[in-house]
CSV table of all heavy atoms in Angstrom, one decimal:
chain,number,residue,atom,x,y,z
A,221,GLY,N,-16.7,125.5,123.5
A,221,GLY,CA,-16.1,124.9,124.6
A,221,GLY,C,-14.6,124.9,124.5
A,221,GLY,O,-14.0,125.9,124.4
A,222,VAL,N,-14.0,123.7,124.6
A,222,VAL,CA,-12.6,123.6,124.5
A,222,VAL,C,-12.1,123.3,123.1
A,222,VAL,O,-10.9,123.1,122.8
A,222,VAL,CB,-12.0,122.5,125.4
A,222,VAL,CG1,-12.4,122.8,126.9
A,222,VAL,CG2,-12.5,121.1,125.0
A,223,TRP,N,-13.0,123.3,122.1
A,223,TRP,CA,-12.7,122.8,120.8
A,223,TRP,C,-12.6,124.0,119.8
A,223,TRP,O,-13.5,124.9,119.8
A,223,TRP,CB,-13.8,121.8,120.3
A,223,TRP,CG,-13.9,120.6,121.2
A,223,TRP,CD1,-14.9,120.4,122.1
A,223,TRP,CD2,-13.0,119.5,121.2
A,223,TRP,NE1,-14.6,119.2,122.7
A,223,TRP,CE2,-13.5,118.7,122.2
A,223,TRP,CE3,-11.9,119.2,120.5
A,223,TRP,CZ2,-12.9,117.5,122.5
A,223,TRP,CZ3,-11.2,118.0,120.8
A,223,TRP,CH2,-11.7,117.2,121.8
A,224,LEU,N,-11.6,123.9,119.0
A,224,LEU,CA,-11.4,124.9,117.9
A,224,LEU,C,-11.5,124.2,116.6
A,224,LEU,O,-10.9,123.2,116.3
A,224,LEU,CB,-9.9,125.5,118.0
A,224,LEU,CG,-9.4,126.3,116.8
A,224,LEU,CD1,-10.3,127.5,116.6
A,224,LEU,CD2,-8.0,126.7,117.0
A,225,PHE,N,-12.4,124.7,115.8
A,225,PHE,CA,-12.7,124.1,114.4
A,225,PHE,C,-12.1,125.1,113.4
A,225,PHE,O,-12.5,126.3,113.4
A,225,PHE,CB,-14.2,123.9,114.2
A,225,PHE,CG,-14.8,122.9,115.1
A,225,PHE,CD1,-15.1,123.2,116.4
A,225,PHE,CD2,-15.2,121.7,114.6
A,225,PHE,CE1,-15.8,122.3,117.2
A,225,PHE,CE2,-15.8,120.7,115.4
A,225,PHE,CZ,-16.1,121.0,116.7
A,226,ILE,N,-11.3,124.6,112.5
A,226,ILE,CA,-10.7,125.4,111.5
A,226,ILE,C,-11.0,124.8,110.1
A,226,ILE,O,-10.7,123.6,109.9
A,226,ILE,CB,-9.2,125.6,111.6
A,226,ILE,CG1,-8.8,126.3,113.0
A,226,ILE,CG2,-8.6,126.3,110.5
A,226,ILE,CD1,-7.3,126.4,113.2
A,227,GLN,N,-11.6,125.6,109.2
A,227,GLN,CA,-11.7,125.2,107.8
A,227,GLN,C,-10.4,125.5,107.1
A,227,GLN,O,-10.0,126.6,106.9
A,227,GLN,CB,-12.8,126.0,107.1
A,227,GLN,CG,-13.0,125.5,105.6
A,227,GLN,CD,-13.9,126.4,104.8
A,227,GLN,OE1,-14.5,127.3,105.4
A,227,GLN,NE2,-14.1,126.1,103.6
A,228,SER,N,-9.7,124.5,106.7
A,228,SER,CA,-8.4,124.6,106.1
A,228,SER,C,-8.5,125.1,104.7
A,228,SER,O,-9.5,124.8,104.0
A,228,SER,CB,-7.7,123.2,106.1
A,228,SER,OG,-6.4,123.3,105.4
A,229,GLY,N,-7.6,126.0,104.3
A,229,GLY,CA,-7.6,126.5,103.0
A,229,GLY,C,-6.7,125.8,102.0
A,229,GLY,O,-6.6,126.0,100.8
A,230,LEU,N,-5.9,124.8,102.6
A,230,LEU,CA,-5.0,124.0,101.8
A,230,LEU,C,-5.2,122.5,102.1
A,230,LEU,O,-5.6,122.2,103.2
A,230,LEU,CB,-3.5,124.4,102.2
A,230,LEU,CG,-3.2,125.9,102.0
A,230,LEU,CD1,-1.8,126.2,102.6
A,230,LEU,CD2,-3.2,126.3,100.5
A,231,VAL,N,-4.8,121.7,101.2
A,231,VAL,CA,-4.9,120.3,101.3
A,231,VAL,C,-3.5,119.7,101.7
A,231,VAL,O,-2.5,120.3,101.4
A,231,VAL,CB,-5.4,119.5,100.1
A,231,VAL,CG1,-6.8,120.0,99.7
A,231,VAL,CG2,-4.5,119.8,98.9
A,232,GLY,N,-3.5,118.6,102.4
A,232,GLY,CA,-2.3,117.9,102.8
A,232,GLY,C,-1.7,117.2,101.6
A,232,GLY,O,-2.3,117.0,100.5
A,233,ASP,N,-0.5,116.7,101.8
A,233,ASP,CA,0.3,116.0,100.8
A,233,ASP,C,-0.5,114.7,100.3
A,233,ASP,O,-0.3,114.3,99.2
A,233,ASP,CB,1.7,115.6,101.3
A,233,ASP,CG,2.5,116.9,101.5
A,233,ASP,OD1,2.2,117.9,100.9
A,233,ASP,OD2,3.5,116.8,102.3
Side-chain angles (χ1 to χ4, degrees):
V222 301
W223 301 103
L224 169 62
F225 295 77
I226 296 178
Q227 180 191 358
S228 177
L230 303 172
V231 297
D233 294 337

